């Protein structure tokens, strides 16, 4: 019984007691009846209380339907993440099918001169199979084969243009298992002007220096060799202000408050900063300067904590840093290895971003796997310099946009509340999203498959919307994972399958209350 119902009964009892003192027996009975009727009305189930036991959800289910259900059931692989987010949490009854699932991982945009890599992962690979990357005219650009659940193909685009490639999966006998479009936008590369500051010389920084120099980047590189000795490279050849900074943790810890503030002021203006965390030694400095909490790497689990990073067809085993970041409201994971162990972290810093590299020892692979190290550093720099002052860092979090399904566009380096124009969908407003690593996002509902252009200021990005029949196995995989996440956040408790308990109608209580009050009013008027 609710507190309001108890108060109604108490009020009726008090009124009846006053009438009894005056020996007005009928009035006391009417007061008691009115109090009980009002209490009955207040304890009846409200209209928002679920009155359906189990609701089977489909793509057409809306939140209003689920609100009235005590539990939900789902057939097949469930709904997409965008659909589950619109539904309130309810206990879920779901028997996951055992159909083959497929996951595709590839960048939507690459810079000219960077290799494009597409990875296909199957839920089950009973035998040898092949993965092909096809040009728009059907020519095979690259092919790889194997027996494991995952294969990767690579290709170096020759021109900066927008294209729709195709990927094909075949079994050992050459029968096509899956095939579908792979949209790709190749953009002109932006020359890197890198500011490098290092507290000590190391093989890792030397390898990084060589990789950047070979890529055509302009460098302002300074390495502290002793208390009064600093080696400087390339500062005179810089033809433009730096658009990225790379430092090691030791250099930042050696700087005074003014030096740190000056660097962070540049980051606040939009210059991305990459911190090589391998030689961090003073956690208090990072907690004070960047609100970054570090925990020490355990010596007994160093082998188990080694990060195994994919770089094309090469797996690089990278040693963990001595100190690791701890996730917080400010710091989030930027990249993780195959086992889900983070190797890069990030946080927004006003108009810029700070990235933390949580591994070391890549120089050990510079001789045995130079191509793998170069590909991995391409990925690191792409992640760390996203959102530089020369361009907006576009993010497309939805892996498979479909017509009629809510699709999000996100970006770094854009202020919340500013305008985003999407072709065919009018002008949208950027909104801050804490779960997107400091990015701002906007949502729209595509009407048909194909390319859609979006513009924010002077920057433009192209989003490809797939047809409803594209990549059915990949769609099943995305639905499957989204349904698992919904089940994890759903309310605890078993789904009831019996008949719903009959509830009393409200009108008898309302009539009784109205009659009692009218009777009291009439008797008081006499």
């Amino acid at each position: 019984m609710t507190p309001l119902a108890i108060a109604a009964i108490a009020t009726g009892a008090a009124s009846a007691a006053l009438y009894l003192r005056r020996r007005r027996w009928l009035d006391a009975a009417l007061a008691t009846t009115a109090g009980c009727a009002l209490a009955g009305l207040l304890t009846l189930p409200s209209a928002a209380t679920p009155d359906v036991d189990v609701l089977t959800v489909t793509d057409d289910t809306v939140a209003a339907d689920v609100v009235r259900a005590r539990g939900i059931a789902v057939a097949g692989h469930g709904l997409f993440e965008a659909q589950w987010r619109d539904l309130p949490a309810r206990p879920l009854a779901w028997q996951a099918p055992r159909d083959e699932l497929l996951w595709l991982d590839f960048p939507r945009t690459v810079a000219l001169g960077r290799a494009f890599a597409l990875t296909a992962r199957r839920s089950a690979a009973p035998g040898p199979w092949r993965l092909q990357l096809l040009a728009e005219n059907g020519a095979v650009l690259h092919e790889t084969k194997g027996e494991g659940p995952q294969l990767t193909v690579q290709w170096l685009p020759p021109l900066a243009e927008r294209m729709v490639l195709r990927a094909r999966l075949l079994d050992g006998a050459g029968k096509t298992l899956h095939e579908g479009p792979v949209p790709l936008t190749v953009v002109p590369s932006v020359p890197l002007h890198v500011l490098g500051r290092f507290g000590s010389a190391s093989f890792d920084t030397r390898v990084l220096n060589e990789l950047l120099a070979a890529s055509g980047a302009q460098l302002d590189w300074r390495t502290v060799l002793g208390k009064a000795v600093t080696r400087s490279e390339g500062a005179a050849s810089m033809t433009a202000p730096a658009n990225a900074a790379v430092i090691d943790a030791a250099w930042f810890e050696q700087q005074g408050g003014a030096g740190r503030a000056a660097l962070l002021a540049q980051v606040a203006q939009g210059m991305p900063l990459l911190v090589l965390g391998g030689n961090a030694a003073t956690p208090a400095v990072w907690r004070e300067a960047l609100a970054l909490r570090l925990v020490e790497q355990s010596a007994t689990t160093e082998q188990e904590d080694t990060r195994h990073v994919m770089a094309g067809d090469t797996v690089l085993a990278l040693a963990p840093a001595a100190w690791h970041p701890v996730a917080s409201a400010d710091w989030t994971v930027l990249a993780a290895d195959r086992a889900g162990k983070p190797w890069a972290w990030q946080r927004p810093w006003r108009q810029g971003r700070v990235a933390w590299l949580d591994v070391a020892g890549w120089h050990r692979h510079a001789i045995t796997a130079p191509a793998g190290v170069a590909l991995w550093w391409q990925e690191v720099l792409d992640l760390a310099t996203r959102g530089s002052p020369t361009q907006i860092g576009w993010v497309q979090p939805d892996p498979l946009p479909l017509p009629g399904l809510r699709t999000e566009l996100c970006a770094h380096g854009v202020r919340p509340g500013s305008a985003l124009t999407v072709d065919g969908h009018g002008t949208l407003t950027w909104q801050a999203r804490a779960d997107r690593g400091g990015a701002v996002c906007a949502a729209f509902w595509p009407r048909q498959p194909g390319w859609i252009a979006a513009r924010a200021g002077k920057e433009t990005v192209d989003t490809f919307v797939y047809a409803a029949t594209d990549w059915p196995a990949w769609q099943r995989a995305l639905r499957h994972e989204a349904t698992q996440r919904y089940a994890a956040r759903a309310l605890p408790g078993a789904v009831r399958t019996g008949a719903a308990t009959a509830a009393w109608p409200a009108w008898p209580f309302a009539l009784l209350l109205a009659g009692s009050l009218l009777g009291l009013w009439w008797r008081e008027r006499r």
Side-chain angles (χ1 to χ4, degrees), residues 80-159:
F80 289 103
E81 180 69 23
Q83 296 168 312
W84 281 125
R85 283 189 179 184
D86 293 336
L87 302 182
R90 290 289 184 272
L92 177 65
W94 177 46
Q95 184 66 40
R98 296 188 177 182
D99 302 334
E100 183 184 4
L101 305 180
L102 173 68
W103 292 267
L104 297 180
D105 182 24
F106 58 91
R108 273 56 176 174
T109 303
V110 297
L112 185 64
R114 300 295 179 90
F116 168 75
L118 179 143
T119 299
R121 179 168 60 90
R122 300 170 61 191
S123 59
W129 59 291
R130 290 182 291 161
L131 174 62
Q132 293 179 338
L133 182 65
L134 309 177
E136 291 178 306
N137 61 4
V140 178
L141 300 174
H142 188 216
E143 177 179 326
T144 185
K145 61 182 65 177
E147 297 186 359
Q150 179 173 302
L151 292 176
T152 300
V153 290
Q154 296 182 25
W155 177 58
L156 187 64
L159 298 173

Side-chain angles (χ1 to χ4, degrees), residues 197-199 247-254 275-281 285-286 356:
R197 299 292 184 265
F198 305 96
I247 66 172
D248 66 0
W251 180 86
F252 192 83
E253 293 172 355
Q254 293 168 8
V275 182
L276 310 182
N279 57 4
V285 169
W286 302 100
W356 179 280

Side-chain angles (χ1 to χ4, degrees), residues 372-387:
V373 174
L375 284 173
W376 176 66
W377 263 108
Q378 283 185 5
E379 179 184 1
V380 173
L381 293 172
D382 288 342
L383 291 171
T385 60
R386 188 176 58 199

Side-chain angles (χ1 to χ4, degrees), residues 63 209 234 249 346 450 491 510 520:
N209 179 288
Q346 67 173 350
L491 297 176
L520 283 172

Side-chain angles (χ1 to χ4, degrees), residues 200-220:
S200 62
S202 70
F203 291 113
D204 279 347
T205 56
R206 173 50 56 187
V207 169
L208 175 58
N209 179 288
E210 294 172 353
L211 289 172
L212 289 173
S215 70
Q218 295 186 15
L219 306 178
D220 178 2

Side-chain angles (χ1 to χ4, degrees), residues 246-444:
V246 181
I247 66 172
D248 66 0
W251 180 86
F252 192 83
E253 293 172 355
Q254 293 168 8
Q255 301 303 301
R260 296 169 191 162
L263 176 64
L264 294 178
Q266 290 180 277
V267 178
Q269 295 299 317
M271 183 179 71
L273 171 65
L274 172 62
V275 182
L276 310 182
N279 57 4
T282 313
V285 169
W286 302 100
R287 187 183 304 112
E288 178 183 355
L290 292 171
L292 173 62
R293 190 163 70 89
L294 298 174
V295 295
E296 192 170 8
Q297 166 66 36
S298 173
T300 59
T301 61
E302 186 172 345
Q303 291 296 326
E304 293 83 351
D305 291 336
T306 297
R307 273 49 168 177
H308 295 87
V309 180
M310 285 294 300
D313 295 328
T314 305
V315 178
L316 302 178
L318 301 176
W323 294 85
H324 300 296
V326 176
S328 65
D330 295 318
W331 285 89
T332 57
V333 175
L334 178 61
D337 69 357
R338 297 184 302 174
K341 300 174 184 176
W343 57 263
W345 297 74
Q346 67 173 350
R347 71 153 296 168
W349 192 262
R350 297 184 185 176
Q351 297 302 310
R353 295 168 62 249
V354 181
W356 179 280
L357 192 61
D358 196 25
V359 291
W362 55 84
H363 71 275
R364 298 187 181 94
H365 304 280
I367 296 177
T368 58
V373 174
L375 284 173
W376 176 66
W377 263 108
Q378 283 185 5
E379 179 184 1
V380 173
L381 293 172
D382 288 342
L383 291 171
T385 60
R386 188 176 58 199
S388 67
T390 58
Q391 60 180 350
I392 293 174
W394 294 98
V395 183
Q396 301 182 46
D398 297 312
L400 191 71
L402 293 170
L405 191 66
R406 185 178 67 238
T407 298
E408 287 187 337
L409 271 178
C410 301
H412 293 275
V414 182
R415 293 183 178 180
S418 57
L420 169 70
T421 303
V422 180
D423 285 353
H425 298 80
T427 301
L428 310 176
T429 301
W430 290 113
Q431 297 181 352
R433 287 283 299 275
D435 59 336
R436 296 296 186 193
V440 294
C441 299
F444 65 98

Side-chain angles (χ1 to χ4, degrees), residues 1-11 35-45 509:
M1 186 175 292
T2 64
L4 288 177
I6 296 174
I9 293 177
T11 302
C36 292
L38 179 59
L41 278 174
L42 294 174
T43 55
L44 284 177
F509 296 95

